Amino acid sequence: DKIKGSVTVWYEDTAAGGKIYFGHMWSNWGMELGGYYLGKYDVEFGGSKIAESEAMAVTVSGVYATDIGAGFTFHGKLGIAFTQFEIDCLALCGSGTPPLQDTKMTGLSGIWTLGLGAKFTQNLLARFEYEHIGSFHSAVSTTEFKESYDMVTLSLQFNF
């Protein structure tokens, strides 16, 4: 359980999401623009679902990538994330301390990534990454919270 003000709530720690990214490399250095959907989470109180929350981000990152031999690559990213966190109240709306209500918050955070790639062809690469977004701003009524997101992703990259 997590303590949020004087309300004890339970929420999921994991969810399925997705991302899409575009970029350009100049030798080993590059830039990447990404869009992330980080999933929808149930919020429960007393064993009942009272809200759903949803997280999204748009990122701009500098990228470093290098071949490490035998068709494998290493890459790292460092950048900024424009985040959005939304809570949709389903039950007990307006109750509690602080009162539960629909909220949408945006924020700015850092993002970093470490990853490995496996080349299938010169233009097709599988990427395995660990990514961290520093903080998503969220709120229940006027009480604000900051939560970080850690993600493990597997993706296909097409180079053209």
Side-chain angles (χ1 to χ4, degrees), residues 7-8 11 20 25 27 35 46 50 52 55 57 65 80 83 86 99 105 109 116-117 123 132 136 139 149-150 157:
V7 176
T8 302
Y11 61 92
I20 189 166
M25 295 295 292
S27 185
I50 61 169
E52 292 178 338
I80 56 173
T83 63
E86 187 172 342
M105 296 205 62
S109 183
L116 295 173
N123 294 335
H132 175 82
F136 273 74
Y149 271 70
D150 294 299
Q157 175 178 306

Side-chain angles (χ1 to χ4, degrees), residues 2-9 11 97-98 138 140 143 145 147:
K2 299 274 184 173
I3 305 296
K4 305 279 186 181
S6 63
V7 176
T8 302
V9 298
Y11 61 92
T97 305
S138 62
V140 175
T143 304
F145 306 97
E147 300 282 342

Side-chain angles (χ1 to χ4, degrees), residues 35-118:
Y36 292 73
Y37 175 75
L38 299 171
K40 187 174 273 195
Y41 304 87
D42 293 340
V43 179
E44 295 182 358
F45 176 71
S48 298
K49 182 176 171 179
I50 61 169
E52 292 178 338
S53 60
E54 196 169 28
M56 294 165 267
V58 173
T59 62
V60 178
S61 303
V63 179
Y64 175 79
T66 187
D67 287 330
I68 56 175
F72 291 95
T73 64
F74 167 82
H75 63 274
K77 297 190 291 188
L78 185 62
I80 56 173
F82 302 92
T83 63
Q84 178 178 302
F85 193 89
E86 187 172 342
I87 297 175
D88 293 319
C89 181
L90 302 174
L92 303 176
C93 301
S95 63
T97 305
L100 181 61
Q101 59 190 27
D102 291 348
T103 57
K104 183 188 287 187
M105 296 205 62
T106 57
L108 187 63
S109 183
I111 181 172
W112 61 266
T113 302
L114 294 175
L116 295 173

